[in-house]
Amino acid sequence: MKYLVVVLPQAHEDVEIIVSWLLQRSPTGATAWYRRWCAMLNELSRSADRCVEAPESADHSQQLHQLQFKTRRGHHYRVIFVIQNSKVYVLHVRGSGQDLLSPDEIRHPDEPLN
């Protein structure tokens, strides 16, 4: 199934923070990370339904999924998302050193969830 991937504002902010942090240390690394991010979005559009449940899902009323990806240097990131019909809503992007999201940090899309 092909999904439309919608990156919600908080996930955009997460990406901006990650890229800004990387830019201060390595512009080349920031560019490589952003390319990997774009490739991951493409992967989500093709196979979101194959991704595992996120640990945060246990404390939430709706099933949250995650897709993990890593950089060339082995740094791991998690993309937290929900699937609604033929859309994938990206809620957050988390680095390996970040804690799990608390229930109050998770904002769903405004559309009714089925």
Side-chain angles (χ1 to χ4, degrees), residues 28-42:
T28 303
T31 300
W33 187 94
Y34 192 77
R35 279 193 203 122
R36 183 64 187 107
W37 161 251
C38 292
M40 186 281 319
L41 290 175
N42 190 38

Side-chain angles (χ1 to χ4, degrees), residues 72-91:
R72 195 174 60 134
R73 293 192 174 224
H75 298 276
H76 291 265
Y77 294 86
R78 294 184 317 125
V79 178
I80 313 299
F81 63 94
V82 294
I83 300 172
Q84 181 183 27
N85 302 320
S86 63
K87 293 182 182 177
V88 170
Y89 292 96
V90 178
L91 306 173

